[in-house]
């Protein structure tokens, strides 16, 4: 009897995409369970009663929540095509940059997307400062993990998709090729890697989704300031 692997996700979640990519890289067969977060299923609430969020990986009936925790579980359970290097220092660095991506980069880029006027200008300055750190870390490398996609690449993979979507919607450049040549090149290489490219959510649907989110955020901000 084979292993049971299920992934609870939404169609657009960047956090869940990390798990999709990791399972594909490892060659692990799995079942996808798409969730509607406005009407969460009893199973989602059962498997993740603390956060009530996706992604959730269920391996032989055992649920694991939180994308970084799941990535490490996958890497420790299935040893082929390792995502993290063996060296403890390199593993620590990878975890640092992954956390930096969520805590600093994603937050600051999101603020550029949802803010207006002077607040957006200030958010772009903050995002640029954070992106400079990634640019420096990327110099001389094809991927954050070296010559092949690894843990940090999966953690920061949202940049290769959301950045261009945000730029298209707000008409503002966030990652400029001249200012961030190494990061820009990584975004292209990562996005076009077959396992990554074949699993992106539909771009047109993503633009519709985030345009609606932006419109709702602006409307809410306008009504609260009256």
């Amino acid at each position: 009897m084979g292993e049971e692997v299920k992934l609870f996700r939404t169609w657009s979640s960047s956090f869940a995409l990390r798990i999709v990519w990791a399972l594909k890289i490892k060659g692990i067969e799995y079942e996808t369970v798409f969730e509607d977060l406005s009407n969460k299923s009893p199973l989602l609430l059962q498997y993740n009663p603390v956060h009530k969020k996706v992604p959730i990986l269920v391996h032989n009936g055992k649920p694991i929540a939180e994308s970084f925790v799941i990535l490490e579980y996958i890497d420790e359970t299935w040893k082929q095509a390792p995502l993290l290097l063996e060296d403890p220092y390199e593993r620590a660095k990878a975890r640092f940059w992954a956390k930096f991506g969520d805590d600093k980069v994603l937050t600051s880029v999101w603020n550029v997307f949802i803010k207006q006027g002077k607040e957006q200008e200030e958010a772009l300055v903050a995002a640029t400062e954070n992106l400079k750190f990634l640019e420096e870390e990327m110099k001389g490398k094809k991927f954050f993990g070296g010559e092949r996609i690894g843990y940090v690449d999966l953690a920061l993979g949202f940049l290769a998709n959301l950045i261009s979507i945000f730029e298209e919607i707000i008409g503002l450049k966030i990652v400029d090729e001249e200012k961030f040549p190494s990061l820009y090149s990584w975004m292209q290489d990562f996005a076009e890697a077959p396992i990554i490219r074949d699993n992106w959510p539909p771009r047109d649907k993503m633009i519709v989704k985030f345009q609606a989110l932006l419109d709702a955020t602006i409307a809410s901000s306008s009504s609260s300031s009256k």
Side-chain angles (χ1 to χ4, degrees):
M1 184 176 176
E3 292 184 297
E4 178 197 45
V5 182
K6 291 183 180 180
L7 173 61
F8 287 73
R9 57 172 296 201
T10 63
W11 70 269
S12 61
S13 168
S14 298
F15 303 107
L17 265 181
R18 294 167 175 166
I19 313 309
V20 172
W21 294 328
L23 291 170
K24 295 285 186 182
I25 287 170
K26 297 279 189 177
I28 305 303
E29 292 187 10
Y30 66 98
E31 175 187 344
T32 299
V33 181
F34 285 104
E35 284 284 341
D36 175 3
L37 296 185
S38 65
N39 183 26
K40 297 172 183 176
S41 73
L43 274 179
L44 185 149
L45 300 176
Q46 174 190 327
Y47 286 141
N48 191 3
V50 176
H51 296 300
K52 303 177 177 63
K53 296 189 302 186
V54 296
I56 305 166
L57 185 76
V58 181
H59 182 208
N60 293 333
K62 299 174 185 175
I64 306 102
E66 297 296 298
S67 63
F68 290 154
V69 176
I70 298 170
L71 282 182
E72 294 210 35
Y73 177 85
I74 289 171
D75 208 32
E76 291 168 3
T77 303
W78 295 284
K79 303 294 187 183
Q80 66 272 28
L83 303 175
L84 283 162
L85 299 175
E86 283 294 320
D87 180 68
Y89 177 66
E90 293 299 330
R91 294 167 78 90
K93 280 207 310 180
R95 294 182 182 109
F96 171 86
W97 288 117
K99 193 171 189 306
F100 177 77
D102 272 11
D103 291 351
K104 294 291 188 178
V105 180
L106 181 56
T107 303
S108 60
V109 167
W110 178 252
N111 283 334
V112 175
F113 180 62
I114 63 169
K115 301 292 185 182
Q116 303 285 300
K118 185 165 181 59
E119 286 188 338
Q120 186 181 62
E121 292 174 14
E122 292 170 351
L124 183 59
V125 170
T128 299
E129 287 303 307
N130 288 326
L131 291 167
K132 282 179 181 176
F133 287 112
L134 296 185
E135 171 67 19
E136 193 63 31
E137 181 64 18
M138 267 308 300
K139 282 183 178 176
K141 295 187 285 191
K142 183 174 183 179
F143 297 110
F144 283 93
E147 287 302 307
R148 60 184 181 81
I149 291 171
Y151 182 87
V152 181
D153 302 286
L154 300 187
L156 296 173
F158 65 87
L159 289 171
N161 189 32
L162 290 185
I163 290 284
S164 65
I165 289 170
F166 290 175
E167 289 175 339
E168 181 173 336
I169 292 173
I170 64 176
L172 181 68
K173 200 70 178 169
I174 300 173
V175 176
D176 182 84
E177 184 176 3
E178 289 188 10
K179 191 178 292 184
F180 302 109
S182 298
L183 186 60
Y184 185 88
S185 178
W186 168 80
M187 287 168 59
Q188 307 306 307
D189 288 338
F190 181 83
E192 286 304 312
I195 280 178
I196 307 302
R197 183 186 63 225
D198 294 347
N199 291 285
W200 286 125
R203 185 179 177 84
D204 56 344
K205 286 182 66 179
M206 291 287 280
I207 289 174
V208 169
K209 172 188 171 170
F210 282 103
Q211 181 69 66
L213 277 172
L214 179 60
D215 293 344
T217 302
I218 293 172
S220 174
S221 177
S222 298
S223 63
S224 65
S225 63
K226 288 180 181 177

